[in-house]
């Protein structure tokens, strides 16, 4: 490896949270968790402020995360754009106060230095054409100040893919990294989100090794680590847990937290009701048959970004019908869906993602 190889970086895309809004919960892909946080089944001791960087990265790119099962074209388009040459990066900008609410410059610097050095090395991946792509660095590279109060850094295509392409993922509350001060409790919450509903049972030695702890007895592990972690997650997370121990084994069972889960369930029920009412409107007004609704309804019901795009496209469709002085109901069934699909293409291609991946629009027909 030479210095020139290391420093030759191609930046293909920039991300930033321009309106400074944060989502309530983030989706963390299981592959990223396995490879970055729990490499070899052992949790990395990632400092709290570095965890805030990770949570903010995911929050900023959340609108462009996708499951390849839902958007099969997107994966090949990602490969074409980001995995054709070595050392291709995306640029991300985060406000420093998101990393250190107290305004500590040292905390911000330490967080970025940790992530730049942690797991620094050469990474290889194979793109859809079978070509091996090499990338050098850690999760982030070359953090710098390009605007007062902000830090800009690069994320390689290798790690970006694990953050964006999420065949399997779990939800974590964004504010967990601000409400819970113990970094190991947050890492435990991420691990907990991957457990099956019926939980797991592990030996004390396994749990000690997994979380970098050194408790002598199962009783100590439960009352000195699990009990305070449970108190934090009961109060601040969607998912908490129950536990018990017997001999050298510890049983851990995930549970929904009552206060938060009741609120989430109420919100989800209200949201589902509105979505079903809206889909019923489309079905009745535009004569959609059962076989025509399958893909359209799946995309609208399950993918929020696509739902927003469909609604924008529908408004544009109605506006165009008015300009042509025809009723929007003149198009029925498949014709109606074809019209909406065309508007979706146009609107999608006017976005930054559309400029980058022009054929990456979601398919509803």
């Amino acid at each position: 490896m030479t210095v020139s190889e290391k420093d030759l970086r191609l930046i293909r895309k920039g991300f930033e949270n321009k309106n400074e809004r944060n989502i309530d919960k983030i989706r963390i892909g299981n592959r990223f968790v396995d490879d970055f946080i729990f490499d070899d089944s052992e949790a990395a001791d990632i400092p709290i402020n570095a965890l805030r960087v990770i949570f903010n990265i995911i929050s900023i790119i959340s609108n462009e995360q996708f499951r390849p099962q839902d958007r099969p074209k997107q994966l090949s388009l990602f490969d074409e754009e980001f995995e054709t040459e070595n050392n291709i990066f995306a640029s991300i900008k985060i406000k420093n106060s998101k990393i250190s609410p107290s305004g500590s410059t040292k905390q911000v610097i330490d967080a970025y230095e940790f992530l730049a050095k942690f797991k620094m090395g050469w990474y290889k991946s194979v793109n859809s054409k079978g070509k091996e792509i090499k990338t050098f660095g850690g999760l982030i590279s070359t953090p710098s100040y390009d605007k007062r109060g902000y830090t800009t850094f690069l994320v390689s295509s290798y790690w970006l893919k694990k953050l964006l392409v999420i065949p399997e993922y779990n939800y974590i509350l964004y504010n967990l990294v601000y409400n819970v001060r113990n970094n190991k409790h947050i890492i435990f919450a991420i691990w907990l989100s991957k457990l099956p509903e019926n939980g797991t049972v592990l030996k004390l030695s396994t749990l000690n090794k997994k979380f970098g702890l050194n408790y002598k007895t199962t009783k100590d592990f439960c009352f000195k680590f699990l009990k305070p972690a449970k108190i934090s997650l009961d109060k601040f997370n969607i998912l908490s847990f129950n536990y018990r121990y017997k001999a050298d084994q510890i049983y851990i069972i995930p549970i929904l937290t009552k206060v938060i889960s009741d609120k989430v369930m109420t919100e989800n029920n209200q949201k589902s009701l509105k979505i079903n009412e809206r889909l019923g409107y489309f079905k009745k007004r535009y004569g959609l048959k059962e076989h025509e609704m399958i893909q359209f309804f799946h995309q609208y019901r399950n993918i929020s970004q696509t739902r927003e795009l469909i609604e924008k496209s529908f408004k544009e469709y109605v506006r165009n019908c008015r300009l042509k002085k025809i009723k929007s109901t003149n198009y029925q069934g498949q014709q109606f869906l074809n019209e909406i699909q065309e508007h979706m293409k146009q609107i999608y291609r006017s976005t930054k993602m559309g400029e980058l991946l022009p054929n990456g629009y979601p398919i509803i027909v």
Side-chain angles (χ1 to χ4, degrees):
M1 181 189 72
T2 66
V3 174
S4 60
E5 286 178 317
K6 176 179 173 180
D7 290 340
L8 182 60
R9 296 181 173 93
L10 302 176
I11 302 172
R12 287 284 166 83
K13 186 171 177 61
F15 295 92
E16 64 177 298
N17 186 1
K18 292 183 178 179
N19 56 20
E20 297 300 334
R21 292 180 182 176
N22 298 308
I23 55 180
D24 291 334
K25 52 188 178 180
I26 60 173
R27 293 175 292 191
I28 303 184
N30 286 352
R31 290 190 300 183
F32 176 76
V33 171
D34 292 340
D35 293 347
F36 191 82
I37 300 177
F38 284 95
D39 191 14
D40 294 329
S41 298
E42 293 182 29
D45 191 14
I46 303 174
I48 185 70
N49 291 313
L51 286 169
R52 288 173 180 168
V53 174
I54 294 171
F55 273 47
N56 276 280
I57 291 173
I58 297 173
S59 175
I60 289 170
I61 67 172
S62 62
N63 284 338
E64 298 188 30
Q65 288 179 306
F66 65 93
R67 297 198 320 158
Q69 306 96 299
D70 296 328
R71 301 179 73 174
K73 282 187 178 181
Q74 203 76 357
L75 181 57
S76 60
L77 291 168
F78 178 93
D79 285 353
E80 289 174 14
E81 188 63 30
F82 281 96
E83 296 201 310
T84 54
E85 302 175 70
N86 296 331
N87 275 338
I88 292 179
F89 290 78
S91 170
I92 297 182
K93 179 189 289 186
I94 297 178
K95 198 171 185 178
N96 292 337
S97 61
K98 297 286 186 184
I99 311 308
S100 175
S102 65
S104 167
T105 301
K106 184 179 185 305
Q107 288 181 357
V108 174
I109 291 173
D110 288 348
Y112 284 114
E113 282 190 357
F114 176 88
L115 290 177
K117 296 174 182 177
F118 181 62
K119 295 195 175 183
M120 177 184 284
W122 281 97
Y123 292 93
K124 299 177 183 179
S125 61
V126 179
N127 66 15
S128 56
K129 296 181 180 179
K131 181 180 178 181
E132 185 178 83
I133 304 299
K134 299 177 182 178
T135 302
F136 180 82
L139 173 64
I140 72 167
S141 300
T142 61
S144 62
Y145 298 100
D146 67 342
K147 180 181 177 183
R148 185 173 178 81
Y150 290 81
T151 297
T152 300
F153 53 89
L154 304 181
V155 176
S156 72
S157 59
Y158 178 86
W159 290 113
L160 184 65
K161 188 172 186 178
K162 292 180 184 292
L163 292 168
L164 279 181
V165 184
I166 47 176
E168 296 178 346
Y169 63 87
N170 291 289
Y171 283 107
I172 297 288
L173 288 186
Y174 169 80
N175 279 329
L176 196 65
V177 285
Y178 299 99
N179 292 326
V180 176
R181 297 300 180 92
N182 189 315
N183 66 321
K184 288 187 183 290
H185 291 175
I186 294 169
I187 292 168
F188 181 85
I190 293 170
W191 173 77
L192 182 70
S193 70
K194 293 186 63 186
L195 292 188
E197 289 183 4
N198 60 348
T200 188
V201 54
L202 294 170
K203 290 184 177 181
L204 170 64
S205 58
T206 302
L207 286 168
N208 267 331
K209 185 177 180 182
K210 181 176 288 291
F211 294 102
L213 301 170
N214 191 32
Y215 290 103
K216 302 298 183 184
T217 66
T218 51
K219 181 179 180 180
D220 281 349
F221 187 94
C222 287
F223 288 95
K224 294 181 180 180
F225 179 71
L226 290 184
K227 184 177 180 180
K230 175 174 169 56
I231 292 171
S232 294
L233 299 188
D234 281 349
K235 187 174 181 180
F236 296 118
N237 199 30
I238 299 173
L239 192 69
S240 186
F241 62 98
N242 286 327
Y243 63 90
R244 61 187 176 87
Y245 64 91
K246 183 177 181 181
D248 70 337
Q249 294 186 319
I250 299 174
Y251 300 78
I252 299 172
I253 303 173
I255 58 169
L256 287 173
T257 54
K258 178 164 175 48
V259 175
I260 294 178
S261 63
D262 285 350
K263 179 182 177 183
V264 169
M265 287 177 67
T266 300
E267 290 174 350
N268 286 344
N269 288 339
Q270 292 173 346
K271 186 177 180 180
S272 295
L273 182 61
K274 289 181 180 179
I275 288 173
N276 288 335
E277 288 176 351
R278 188 60 167 162
L279 290 174
Y281 167 82
F282 286 129
K283 178 182 177 182
K284 183 177 180 180
R285 186 166 178 79
Y286 296 98
L288 297 176
K289 296 181 175 61
E290 290 297 326
H291 70 278
E292 295 168 336
M293 298 186 302
I294 295 173
Q295 180 69 1
F296 174 55
F297 276 33
H298 172 75
Q299 294 278 358
Y300 190 98
R301 180 175 281 121
N302 297 310
I303 308 170
S304 60
Q305 304 101 299
T306 304
R307 183 163 59 247
E308 292 173 8
L309 180 57
I310 290 172
E311 288 294 349
K312 289 179 182 178
S313 302
F314 178 68
K315 287 181 181 178
E316 189 64 19
Y317 164 74
V318 171
R319 190 181 75 83
N320 282 356
C321 286
R322 287 173 180 166
L323 289 174
K324 295 177 182 178
K325 297 183 179 179
I326 62 173
K327 293 181 179 179
S328 69
T329 51
N330 282 8
Y331 296 98
Q332 292 283 301
Q334 190 68 40
Q335 280 188 314
F336 167 73
L337 293 179
N338 289 339
E339 289 291 319
I340 297 300
Q341 182 73 82
E342 284 303 312
H343 286 293
M344 289 174 67
K345 287 183 188 178
Q346 294 172 20
I347 294 172
Y348 169 83
R349 285 173 174 168
S350 68
T351 65
K352 286 185 177 181
M353 193 63 178
E355 293 174 8
L356 185 66
L357 305 171
N359 294 317
Y361 54 85
I363 304 297
I364 63 166
V365 293

